[in-house]
Amino acid sequence: MTATLTAATRGLVEITGVRKSFGTTEVLKGVSLTVEPGGVAVIVGPSGSGKSTLLRTINHLEKVDGGHITIDGQLVGYEVRGDRLHELREKEILKQRTEIGMVFQNFNLFPHLTALENVAEAPVVAHQPGKARRSKAEARRRGLELLDRVGLKDRADAYPRQLSGGQQQRVAIARALALDPKILLFDEPTSALDPELVNEVLDVIRELATSGTTLIIVTHEMGFARDVADTVVFMDQGQIVEQGTPQDIFSNPQEPRTRSFFSKVL
Ligand code: ADP
Ligand code: MG
């Protein structure tokens, strides 16, 4: 175990044989996935196949029952002592989570904070070892820069209720970027949006993808997946059934389950 964990890892994210059960139901049945630095993995698959659970194991919002995950060579949620894994203390886990940005379907902005405060608050509050805690002024400056990046500099003082769903989700993306995470996770970032607001959010994610941010994205937007993914991962019933380039998966799927899924959604 120790040897495999200290061996040089190829991927920025290495998910190895991850298992997870809820009660007697095994919802992840040994999932392995590598995402290279700057890579974009898009996970698709039917509802209930374990996509959200897999994302949540990456930042230890769900504990794995088997297997392990490393980010930049560092085990997530555990440390090796002797030849056994021990769960990290809460403080250490929170520290690790500052390296992993997550964007949810329902934005999850703080309703009583402005757009800028939502973005700028995180780096002031979060303790980042190795990085100085940012001053308020510095966090504001950086917050405005990030709002500019998602096209919302002019809405910095608006409260979430004054923003459209698409704008709120763009603020949520800026907030996820504020801690300079090594990787960003997206769980169906456009599923709660009215159709006319979907593209403004996808455009922001597309910009991140082309600028070299490492991304893992769960989405049902197949056209977008084809555009941005280096790797498309098809999950069904707690397993990765097939993965490959968009061309492989969309145009030449090998597995009957993959073909059957795409025949319904494409
Ligand atoms: P997906 O995101 O692909 O729709 P999920 O990861 O949300 O799938 O869910 C996979 C399975 O795990 C589903 O059967 C779901 O009902 C179950 N599940 C997810 N979270 C929990 C939980 N906290 N407790 C019990 N069952 C859960
Ligand atoms: Mg889900």
Side-chain angles (χ1 to χ4, degrees), residues 21-23 25-28 45-56 62 187-188 218 220 235 238:
S21 296
F22 292 112
T25 314
E26 194 172 41
V27 302
L28 296 176
S47 174
S49 56
K51 304 180 301 294
S52 294
T53 305
L54 179 64
L55 278 195
R56 291 164 58 80
E62 300 287 355
D187 195 357
E188 299 197 25
V218 173
H220 296 294
M235 277 187 78

Side-chain angles (χ1 to χ4, degrees), residues 29 34 39 72 74-75 88 131 206 215 225 242 259 265:
K29 301 172 183 170
T34 296
D72 213 1
Q74 211 194 356
L75 258 183
L88 294 171
K131 299 177 195 174
R206 205 176 266 122
L215 307 176
E242 190 166 355
R259 281 194 221 123
V265 300

Side-chain angles (χ1 to χ4, degrees), residues 204-217:
V204 168
I205 303 173
R206 205 176 266 122
E207 188 272 320
L208 295 174
T210 52
S211 70
T213 313
T214 307
L215 307 176
I216 303 181
I217 306 166

Side-chain angles (χ1 to χ4, degrees), residues 167-214:
Q167 290 172 329
Q168 289 183 57
Q169 191 61 304
R170 286 187 281 149
V171 173
I173 294 169
R175 181 178 63 180
L177 288 167
L179 291 172
D180 297 323
K182 288 183 176 156
I183 171 171
L184 274 183
L185 312 176
F186 289 89
D187 195 357
E188 299 197 25
T190 61
S191 293
L193 298 175
D194 291 334
E196 73 273 19
L197 303 178
V198 166
N199 276 328
E200 64 187 71
V201 172
L202 294 182
D203 286 346
V204 168
I205 303 173
R206 205 176 266 122
E207 188 272 320
L208 295 174
T210 52
S211 70
T213 313
T214 307

Side-chain angles (χ1 to χ4, degrees), residues 83-226:
D83 56 358
R84 300 198 50 185
L85 294 182
H86 294 264
E87 194 177 16
L88 294 171
R89 283 170 305 169
E90 188 65 18
K91 197 176 149 195
E92 301 292 315
I93 290 168
L94 292 175
K95 195 193 287 181
Q96 282 193 335
R97 282 202 192 120
T98 65
E99 304 278 335
I100 307 161
M102 186 145 180
V103 176
F104 301 89
Q105 190 173 320
N106 290 311
F107 332 135
N108 295 356
L109 296 177
F110 297 113
H112 59 289
L113 299 181
T114 65
L116 177 59
E117 287 163 352
N118 264 283
V119 178
E121 207 77 347
V124 174
V125 173
H127 173 64
Q128 291 176 285
K131 299 177 195 174
R133 195 177 298 225
R134 284 195 190 125
S135 71
K136 266 211 146 105
E138 168 61 11
R140 266 190 81 83
R141 193 197 57 73
R142 174 80 175 129
L144 282 171
E145 204 174 277
L146 289 168
L147 283 177
D148 196 25
R149 186 164 181 193
V150 301
L152 287 172
K153 198 173 184 179
D154 59 335
R155 303 307 313 273
D157 296 323
Y159 286 89
R161 65 175 181 280
Q162 300 170 313
L163 299 171
S164 72
Q167 290 172 329
Q168 289 183 57
Q169 191 61 304
R170 286 187 281 149
V171 173
I173 294 169
R175 181 178 63 180
L177 288 167
L179 291 172
D180 297 323
K182 288 183 176 156
I183 171 171
L184 274 183
L185 312 176
F186 289 89
D187 195 357
E188 299 197 25
T190 61
S191 293
L193 298 175
D194 291 334
E196 73 273 19
L197 303 178
V198 166
N199 276 328
E200 64 187 71
V201 172
L202 294 182
D203 286 346
V204 168
I205 303 173
R206 205 176 266 122
E207 188 272 320
L208 295 174
T210 52
S211 70
T213 313
T214 307
L215 307 176
I216 303 181
I217 306 166
V218 173
T219 185
H220 296 294
E221 297 286 337
M222 298 301 164
F224 170 74
R226 191 187 280 268

